[in-house]
Amino acid sequence: MRRYQKRGIIAVLAGLLAGLTLLICVRRTALPVDASAHLSQQKLIALTFDDGPRRSTTTRLLDGLAERGVKATFFLIGKQLADHEDVVRRMDREGHQIGIHTFDHVQLTDLNQADFDAQVVTTRTLLKDILGHNDFLLRPPYGKWDEGVKKRAGCPIILWSIDPEDWNDKNTDRVVNMVVNQARDGGIILLHDIYPQSVDAALAIVDKLHAQGYYFCTIDQLFAARGISLNPGEVYWNAYP
Ligand SMILES: [Zn+2]
Protein backbone atom coordinates (compact mmCIF):
# COMPACT_ATOMS: atom_id res chain seq x y z
CA MET A 1 0.00 0.00 0.00
CA ARG A 2 2.77 2.40 1.02
CA ARG A 3 4.74 1.46 -2.08
CA TYR A 4 1.70 2.05 -4.23
CA GLN A 5 1.19 5.46 -2.62
CA LYS A 6 4.85 6.30 -3.21
CA ARG A 7 4.54 5.36 -6.88
CA GLY A 8 1.41 7.43 -7.08
CA ILE A 9 3.19 10.47 -5.67
CA ILE A 10 6.11 9.99 -8.09
CA ALA A 11 3.69 9.70 -11.00
CA VAL A 12 1.90 12.89 -9.95
CA LEU A 13 5.22 14.75 -9.55
CA ALA A 14 6.41 13.53 -12.96
CA GLY A 15 3.14 14.66 -14.47
CA LEU A 16 3.44 18.09 -12.89
CA LEU A 17 7.03 18.43 -14.14
CA ALA A 18 6.02 17.44 -17.68
CA GLY A 19 3.14 19.89 -17.57
CA LEU A 20 5.39 22.68 -16.35
CA THR A 21 7.99 21.96 -19.04
CA LEU A 22 5.27 22.00 -21.69
CA LEU A 23 3.93 25.27 -20.32
CA ILE A 24 7.39 26.89 -20.44
CA CYS A 25 7.95 25.65 -24.01
CA VAL A 26 4.55 26.82 -25.20
CA ARG A 27 5.12 30.20 -23.51
CA ARG A 28 8.52 30.52 -25.21
CA THR A 29 7.26 29.66 -28.66
CA ALA A 30 4.22 31.90 -28.15
CA LEU A 31 6.46 34.98 -27.84
CA PRO A 32 6.61 37.15 -30.97
CA VAL A 33 9.48 36.30 -33.27
CA ASP A 34 11.00 39.75 -32.83
CA ALA A 35 11.29 39.49 -29.05
CA SER A 36 14.89 38.31 -29.21
CA ALA A 37 15.97 40.11 -32.38
CA HIS A 38 18.78 42.64 -32.45
CA LEU A 39 17.26 46.10 -32.11
CA SER A 40 19.88 47.88 -34.19
CA GLN A 41 19.05 45.82 -37.27
CA GLN A 42 15.27 46.25 -37.13
CA LYS A 43 12.67 48.78 -38.11
CA LEU A 44 11.89 50.34 -34.73
CA ILE A 45 8.91 52.35 -33.56
CA ALA A 46 7.73 53.59 -30.16
CA LEU A 47 4.16 53.63 -28.90
CA THR A 48 3.55 56.36 -26.34
CA PHE A 49 0.40 56.96 -24.31
CA ASP A 50 -0.59 60.20 -22.59
CA ASP A 51 -3.17 61.23 -19.98
CA GLY A 52 -3.46 57.93 -18.05
CA PRO A 53 -3.62 55.89 -16.05
CA ARG A 54 -7.32 55.03 -16.22
CA ARG A 55 -7.99 51.63 -14.70
CA SER A 56 -10.42 50.13 -17.22
CA THR A 57 -8.71 51.18 -20.43
CA THR A 58 -5.08 51.10 -19.27
CA THR A 59 -5.47 47.62 -17.81
CA ARG A 60 -6.96 46.28 -21.05
CA LEU A 61 -4.14 47.91 -23.00
CA LEU A 62 -1.50 46.35 -20.71
CA ASP A 63 -3.14 42.94 -21.20
CA GLY A 64 -3.04 43.35 -24.99
CA LEU A 65 0.56 44.59 -25.03
CA ALA A 66 1.64 41.69 -22.78
CA GLU A 67 -0.01 39.16 -25.12
CA ARG A 68 1.96 40.67 -28.00
CA GLY A 69 5.28 41.04 -26.15
CA VAL A 70 5.25 44.81 -26.77
CA LYS A 71 6.83 47.48 -24.55
CA ALA A 72 5.50 51.04 -24.62
CA THR A 73 6.01 54.35 -22.83
CA PHE A 74 3.36 55.96 -20.61
CA PHE A 75 3.28 59.67 -19.71
CA LEU A 76 1.18 59.84 -16.56
CA ILE A 77 -0.94 62.47 -14.85
CA GLY A 78 0.13 63.01 -11.23
CA LYS A 79 -3.33 63.50 -9.77
CA GLN A 80 -4.45 60.14 -11.19
CA LEU A 81 -1.67 58.15 -9.49
CA ALA A 82 -3.23 57.72 -6.05
CA ASP A 83 -5.98 55.38 -7.27
CA HIS A 84 -3.73 53.54 -9.70
CA GLU A 85 -0.53 52.66 -7.85
CA ASP A 86 -0.95 48.97 -8.71
CA VAL A 87 -1.42 49.80 -12.41
CA VAL A 88 1.73 51.94 -12.40
CA ARG A 89 3.72 49.18 -10.66
CA ARG A 90 2.47 46.74 -13.26
CA MET A 91 3.65 48.99 -16.12
CA ASP A 92 7.10 49.18 -14.55
CA ARG A 93 7.26 45.46 -13.75
CA GLU A 94 6.27 44.51 -17.31
CA GLY A 95 9.07 46.57 -18.86
CA HIS A 96 7.20 49.68 -19.97
CA GLN A 97 8.82 53.07 -19.56
CA ILE A 98 7.21 55.82 -17.53
CA GLY A 99 7.20 59.57 -17.90
CA ILE A 100 5.62 62.66 -16.37
CA HIS A 101 2.71 64.49 -18.06
CA THR A 102 2.30 67.04 -15.21
CA PHE A 103 0.08 66.78 -12.12
CA ASP A 104 -3.02 68.52 -13.50
CA HIS A 105 -2.47 68.37 -17.27
CA VAL A 106 -1.49 72.01 -17.59
CA GLN A 107 0.57 73.85 -20.17
CA LEU A 108 4.09 74.25 -18.74
CA THR A 109 5.20 77.35 -20.62
CA ASP A 110 5.31 80.66 -18.73
CA LEU A 111 5.11 79.00 -15.31
CA ASN A 112 7.23 80.29 -12.44
CA GLN A 113 9.50 77.88 -10.58
CA ALA A 114 6.99 77.10 -7.81
CA ASP A 115 4.17 76.34 -10.26
CA PHE A 116 6.48 74.26 -12.45
CA ASP A 117 7.62 72.25 -9.43
CA ALA A 118 4.02 71.70 -8.31
CA GLN A 119 3.33 70.11 -11.71
CA VAL A 120 6.53 68.25 -12.52
CA VAL A 121 8.58 67.76 -9.34
CA THR A 122 5.49 66.71 -7.35
CA THR A 123 4.61 64.09 -9.95
CA ARG A 124 8.22 62.89 -10.09
CA THR A 125 8.23 62.47 -6.29
CA LEU A 126 4.94 60.53 -6.37
CA LEU A 127 6.29 58.19 -9.07
CA LYS A 128 9.53 57.73 -7.15
CA ASP A 129 7.58 56.80 -4.02
CA ILE A 130 5.55 54.22 -5.97
CA LEU A 131 8.38 52.72 -8.04
CA GLY A 132 11.56 53.30 -6.06
CA HIS A 133 13.47 54.82 -8.97
CA ASN A 134 13.68 58.33 -10.31
CA ASP A 135 14.45 58.22 -14.03
CA PHE A 136 11.28 59.58 -15.62
CA LEU A 137 10.96 61.34 -18.95
CA LEU A 138 8.82 64.47 -19.43
CA ARG A 139 6.13 65.08 -22.02
CA PRO A 140 4.69 68.59 -21.72
CA PRO A 141 0.91 68.73 -22.31
CA TYR A 142 -0.08 69.98 -25.78
CA GLY A 143 3.57 69.56 -26.79
CA LYS A 144 4.21 73.10 -25.53
CA TRP A 145 7.70 73.94 -24.32
CA ASP A 146 9.96 76.96 -24.07
CA GLU A 147 13.39 77.77 -22.68
CA GLY A 148 12.00 77.75 -19.14
CA VAL A 149 10.64 74.22 -19.57
CA LYS A 150 13.98 73.06 -20.99
CA LYS A 151 15.89 74.67 -18.12
CA ARG A 152 13.66 73.19 -15.39
CA ALA A 153 12.78 69.80 -16.87
CA GLY A 154 15.59 67.88 -15.18
CA CYS A 155 15.14 65.08 -17.72
CA PRO A 156 14.74 64.58 -21.50
CA ILE A 157 11.62 66.14 -23.08
CA ILE A 158 9.91 63.68 -25.41
CA LEU A 159 7.44 64.83 -28.08
CA TRP A 160 6.20 62.73 -31.03
CA SER A 161 6.28 62.39 -34.81
CA ILE A 162 3.00 60.56 -35.52
CA ASP A 163 -0.18 62.08 -34.06
CA PRO A 164 -3.52 60.74 -35.30
CA GLU A 165 -5.43 62.98 -32.82
CA ASP A 166 -7.23 59.94 -31.43
CA TRP A 167 -9.06 62.14 -28.88
CA ASN A 168 -10.72 64.11 -31.64
CA ASP A 169 -13.24 61.68 -33.13
CA LYS A 170 -12.34 58.45 -31.28
CA ASN A 171 -12.61 56.61 -34.60
CA THR A 172 -10.59 53.41 -34.30
CA ASP A 173 -10.33 52.65 -38.03
CA ARG A 174 -9.27 56.18 -38.96
CA VAL A 175 -6.61 56.24 -36.21
CA VAL A 176 -5.24 52.82 -37.22
CA ASN A 177 -5.05 53.75 -40.91
CA MET A 178 -3.39 57.09 -40.26
CA VAL A 179 -0.72 55.65 -37.95
CA VAL A 180 0.02 52.68 -40.22
CA ASN A 181 0.29 55.01 -43.26
CA GLN A 182 2.64 57.40 -41.45
CA ALA A 183 4.71 54.71 -39.71
CA ARG A 184 8.41 54.86 -40.37
CA ASP A 185 11.56 53.56 -38.78
CA GLY A 186 12.42 55.61 -35.68
CA GLY A 187 8.96 57.12 -35.25
CA ILE A 188 7.17 58.02 -32.02
CA ILE A 189 3.40 57.45 -32.02
CA LEU A 190 1.12 59.50 -29.74
CA LEU A 191 -2.09 57.91 -28.41
CA HIS A 192 -4.17 58.28 -25.25
CA ASP A 193 -4.88 55.18 -23.14
CA ILE A 194 -7.97 56.74 -21.54
CA TYR A 195 -10.29 55.95 -24.48
CA PRO A 196 -11.50 52.40 -25.30
CA GLN A 197 -11.28 53.21 -29.03
CA SER A 198 -7.62 54.18 -28.62
CA VAL A 199 -6.85 50.89 -26.89
CA ASP A 200 -8.49 49.03 -29.80
CA ALA A 201 -6.51 51.18 -32.24
CA ALA A 202 -3.20 50.63 -30.43
CA LEU A 203 -3.53 46.85 -30.49
CA ALA A 204 -4.58 46.83 -34.15
CA ILE A 205 -1.61 49.10 -34.97
CA VAL A 206 0.72 46.66 -33.22
CA ASP A 207 -0.65 43.73 -35.21
CA LYS A 208 -0.44 45.56 -38.56
CA LEU A 209 3.05 46.95 -37.99
CA HIS A 210 4.30 43.62 -36.63
CA ALA A 211 3.21 42.15 -39.97
CA GLN A 212 5.38 44.82 -41.66
CA GLY A 213 8.41 43.83 -39.58
CA TYR A 214 8.38 46.65 -37.02
CA TYR A 215 9.66 46.11 -33.50
CA PHE A 216 7.97 48.16 -30.77
CA CYS A 217 10.26 49.51 -28.08
CA THR A 218 10.37 52.05 -25.28
CA ILE A 219 11.76 55.56 -25.78
CA ASP A 220 15.03 54.64 -24.05
CA GLN A 221 15.41 51.51 -26.20
CA LEU A 222 14.61 53.42 -29.40
CA PHE A 223 17.24 56.13 -28.90
CA ALA A 224 19.84 53.72 -27.46
CA ALA A 225 19.47 51.47 -30.50
CA ARG A 226 20.14 54.48 -32.75
CA GLY A 227 23.11 55.69 -30.71
CA ILE A 228 21.35 58.94 -29.75
CA SER A 229 21.87 60.01 -26.14
CA LEU A 230 18.87 61.48 -24.32
CA ASN A 231 19.97 64.55 -22.36
CA PRO A 232 18.12 66.48 -19.65
CA GLY A 233 16.43 69.61 -20.99
CA GLU A 234 16.75 68.54 -24.65
CA VAL A 235 13.67 68.05 -26.86
CA TYR A 236 13.23 64.93 -29.02
CA TRP A 237 10.58 64.24 -31.67
CA ASN A 238 11.82 61.04 -33.26
CA ALA A 239 14.83 58.83 -33.89
CA TYR A 240 14.56 58.84 -37.68
CA PRO A 241 17.71 57.55 -39.40
ZN1 LIG B 1 -2.13 65.14 -22.61
Side-chain angles (χ1 to χ4, degrees):
M1 187 61 188
R2 280 173 70 185
R3 200 164 152 193
Y4 176 74
Q5 280 179 335
K6 204 169 168 185
R7 272 193 194 162
I9 290 166
I10 290 169
V12 167
L13 283 177
L16 278 175
L17 194 67
L20 196 67
T21 307
L22 188 69
L23 199 70
I24 290 167
C25 289
V26 167
R27 177 79 193 122
R28 284 226 174 112
T29 52
L31 281 172
V33 180
D34 59 10
S36 60
H38 298 289
L39 289 184
S40 57
Q41 295 163 5
Q42 286 226 290
K43 283 194 288 185
L44 304 177
I45 201 157
L47 267 177
T48 67
F49 297 94
D50 287 8
D51 295 5
R54 180 181 177 217
R55 183 168 300 277
S56 59
T57 47
T58 306
T59 299
R60 189 161 68 81
L61 175 63
L62 290 172
D63 291 345
L65 294 177
E67 278 170 24
R68 292 162 175 80
V70 163
K71 311 299 179 204
T73 303
F74 291 86
F75 293 93
L76 305 177
I77 298 291
K79 70 178 176 190
Q80 290 158 213
L81 296 176
D83 297 332
H84 294 90
E85 292 191 3
D86 56 324
V87 179
V88 178
R89 280 197 199 93
R90 179 183 171 189
M91 286 174 181
D92 193 57
R93 192 173 61 238
E94 296 186 354
H96 303 293
Q97 191 169 5
I98 290 168
I100 297 161
H101 197 46
T102 73
F103 189 85
D104 294 302
H105 204 278
V106 298
Q107 192 171 317
L108 284 173
T109 51
D110 300 322
L111 293 189
N112 63 32
Q113 186 74 52
D115 289 341
F116 184 92
D117 289 349
Q119 291 298 326
V120 175
V121 177
T122 303
T123 305
R124 181 176 288 133
T125 303
L126 288 170
L127 285 170
K128 187 184 172 194
D129 288 347
I130 296 169
L131 297 173
H133 57 86
N134 195 21
D135 49 350
F136 308 111
L137 302 168
L138 174 65
R139 172 167 285 163
Y142 317 105
K144 300 276 190 188
W145 56 276
D146 58 12
E147 288 306 310
V149 173
K150 289 179 71 171
K151 197 177 73 187
R152 292 170 177 146
C155 64
I157 298 165
I158 308 297
L159 301 181
W160 56 83
S161 59
I162 302 166
D163 177 11
E165 299 193 348
D166 57 331
W167 47 269
N168 196 353
D169 57 359
K170 303 187 188 71
N171 181 325
T172 302
D173 290 342
R174 187 194 63 75
V175 169
V176 172
N177 289 333
M178 188 170 166
V179 171
V180 170
N181 287 336
Q182 292 188 8
R184 57 181 276 208
D185 187 19
I188 299 176
I189 302 165
L190 168 61
L191 291 170
H192 299 79
D193 55 315
I194 54 171
Y195 308 115
Q197 299 88 342
S198 296
V199 173
D200 293 336
L203 299 177
I205 287 164
V206 168
D207 292 340
K208 284 179 186 287
L209 293 184
H210 266 167
Q212 292 184 20
Y214 279 93
Y215 180 86
F216 287 86
C217 52
T218 64
I219 292 295
D220 271 1
Q221 290 169 336
L222 177 67
F223 284 87
R226 290 295 141 82
I228 303 167
S229 60
L230 291 172
N231 303 316
E234 292 295 321
V235 184
Y236 302 85
W237 288 264
N238 62 69
Y240 290 150

